[in-house]
Every structure is written in structure tokens, then in C-alpha cells.
Amino acid sequence: MEKLELTVQAYGSLEELQSNIRSALARKLPELAPAPTAHDGTFVCVASGWSMPDYIDEIKAHQKAGRPIVSVKAAHDFLCENGVKPDLWINLDPRDRTEHIKHANDHTVYLVASRCAPVTFDKLAGKKILLWHSWTDSDEQKALGAGKLAIGGGTTSGMRAINIGYILGYRKFVLYGYDSCNRADGIKRFTGEKTGPTLDVYVGDGPDRQKFVCNAAMAQQANEFQMVYTVMPDITVEAKGPGLIAAIIDERKRLKFAA
């Protein structure tokens, strides 16, 4: 079919359209924005648990397949040093954690919570930063004021990463380094750090019962992880490694809960 020769005048004069645009912008409404990275619906979160380095080749394969690699705090520099520039970096921590972003780069989009230390923003000056806000039921919220989207979902950057992914439209999550427990020798992170006081957490029953040694923050994260399925019933989660969160997922499957 040949292209028709038509002369069409769109509605509205230039002056009218410009006036409308300026009027709309002056309303300070939230604006529609695309996800900060292309994806196929899978959010690959990489935290700093002790098992994470064992899966670097899998993480590279995910990135090659076009899935976003989401670094949670300290995993950033390890990934960069091993050939994976994260697509996103997520930090909730109000403490100075700039030692974990020595390899800040122009590829990564840095999702920094407004509650983070000012030195974090200073360190990332000139890089791609997207500001987000943390929801809390404390007086901290008063500093944010009204009309801002605040994202809840747990006490750790790792848990907030899942919530951010969900808000961005992801429904499948693959977790690396979300061990939420110590290694047998007491190591808690891939960096070799050990925990202080610990408690024992058990998953399963009978001969399949497993014991995990955690600090209080790890145990709390495991509790919060279980709530994910309540508030996000349409997601699927896969956790790599032999840690506590992977065991929780396996136990849910054994009990015939959704994945």
C-alpha cells in the first residue's frame, strides 16, 4: 500500500502547547519515568554474604543475558574487581560506607537513600545517582515531609533492594550473598569479617532440621524476608548458596507454599 499524501495539523498552537507544558511542570507532580535499566523481569541482587564469591560466573552470565546486577553495599567493589560493573547499587545505611565504592563508575546507577551520610553523595559526585526515601514509623519520617514516595520493607539494604525491585516492576528475584548466617568458621561476610554475639536459628523439623548461627541483625533479616511473601504474593525468589534464607525458601517449597 502506498503512503498517503496528507497534510495534518495537530491541535493546539505552539504558544498554547508551551503554555500547557509550563503549567503542568509548575504543578510539581510526580513524573512517569522508565526503569533505570533494561530487564526481562528478573532482579539479580548481590549482597556481601560469605557464599557470594562462589557464584561470580553465574552473576556474569546473568549480566550477559541482559539482567540487571544489583549490588547491595559492600558487594560493589568485589564485582567491579571481578569484571562485573553493577547496573544498580543500593544503600540504606546512614553510616559512612564509602570504602565500598572505591570503584565508582559511569555505568552503575547509584540508588542512595536520603538517610545516607552526606559523604556518600560527595563520593559519588558526577556519577548517576537516583535518590530514594526510606519509610519508617519513627520521627525520622518528619524530615522527609509530605508528598514523597517512601519505600519500606525491612531493616537492611538487602531487604530494601527487594522492595525497590518490586516497585520498579520486577517479579522474579535471584539472590546472591543473602546468607543471613555465619559460615561454619564464624565468617559472616565475603570480606572475612566475623560476628560478635550469636544465636541459633533452626529451619525444618525431624531429620531435615538445620541449625544456622546468626547475629541479631541476620536473624531479623530472615524474619523480615518471610514477610516478603505476604506483601508481594506474586513474586518468585531464588537464593543461591547454603545459607539461612535459601533454607527458608526450600522449607516453604517442602511445605507446599508458593516459591
Side-chain angles (χ1 to χ4, degrees):
M1 181 177 177
E2 293 185 10
K3 186 177 179 180
L4 299 176
E5 294 184 6
L6 299 172
T7 300
V8 178
Q9 178 64 48
Y11 288 108
S13 67
L14 175 60
E15 292 76 13
E16 181 182 7
L17 295 172
Q18 289 178 336
S19 176
N20 289 353
I21 292 169
R22 293 189 186 101
S23 174
L25 291 175
R27 296 172 188 269
K28 304 297 183 183
L29 296 168
E31 296 183 25
L32 178 68
T37 182
H39 65 90
D40 65 356
T42 301
F43 210 56
V44 182
C45 297
V46 184
S48 56
W50 48 268
S51 71
M52 182 269 287
D54 295 340
Y55 297 92
I56 188 62
D57 289 337
E58 281 191 22
I59 295 167
K60 288 180 179 179
H62 280 299
Q63 190 165 60
K64 186 176 181 180
R67 301 180 187 112
I69 305 303
V70 184
S71 168
V72 179
K73 288 174 51 178
H76 178 279
D77 283 354
F78 175 86
L79 291 172
C80 291
E81 290 165 4
N82 286 273
V84 180
K85 287 183 179 178
D87 297 287
L88 303 175
W89 180 73
I90 293 177
N91 185 24
L92 174 72
D93 200 325
R95 295 169 292 180
D96 181 357
R97 289 292 186 255
T98 53
E99 74 271 18
H100 300 316
I101 47 174
K102 295 184 181 75
H103 301 301
N105 60 85
D106 293 330
H107 171 78
T108 306
V109 177
Y110 294 90
L111 275 65
V112 187
S114 54
R115 72 198 300 268
C116 290
V119 292
T120 306
F121 296 92
D122 295 339
K123 173 69 175 179
L124 294 171
K127 305 304 180 187
K128 292 181 282 190
I129 301 176
L130 285 179
L131 186 67
W132 63 281
H133 307 291
S134 166
W135 184 87
T136 172
D137 59 1
S138 74
D139 285 346
E140 175 188 331
Q141 204 70 27
K142 293 180 180 178
L144 186 57
K148 296 289 188 183
L149 171 66
I151 300 173
T155 54
T156 65
S157 297
M159 289 306 302
R160 297 297 176 101
I162 295 173
N163 282 263
I164 288 171
Y166 189 86
I167 287 172
L168 292 176
Y170 298 87
R171 293 298 179 266
K172 181 176 181 181
F173 295 81
V174 183
L175 311 180
Y176 293 92
Y178 276 68
D179 300 307
S180 213
C181 66
N182 286 349
R183 201 167 65 185
D185 58 2
I187 297 297
K188 69 174 181 177
R189 292 197 182 100
F190 76 92
T191 52
E193 296 171 62
K194 292 191 174 184
T195 59
T198 61
L199 63 152
D200 295 341
V201 175
Y202 294 89
V203 176
D205 51 31
D208 296 323
R209 194 178 194 217
Q210 301 179 71
K211 183 179 85 169
F212 297 90
V213 179
C214 314
N215 64 17
M218 293 170 176
Q220 177 66 11
Q221 178 172 259
N223 278 337
E224 293 167 350
F225 174 76
Q226 295 178 78
M227 293 299 297
V228 162
Y229 296 98
T230 301
V231 297
M232 308 176 201
D234 55 339
I235 69 168
T236 60
V237 187
E238 180 181 8
K240 299 300 184 84
L244 173 56
I245 285 182
I248 290 171
I249 294 172
D250 288 343
E251 181 67 5
R252 286 180 58 85
K253 292 177 180 177
R254 187 182 74 81
L255 296 174
K256 309 300 184 186
F257 286 102

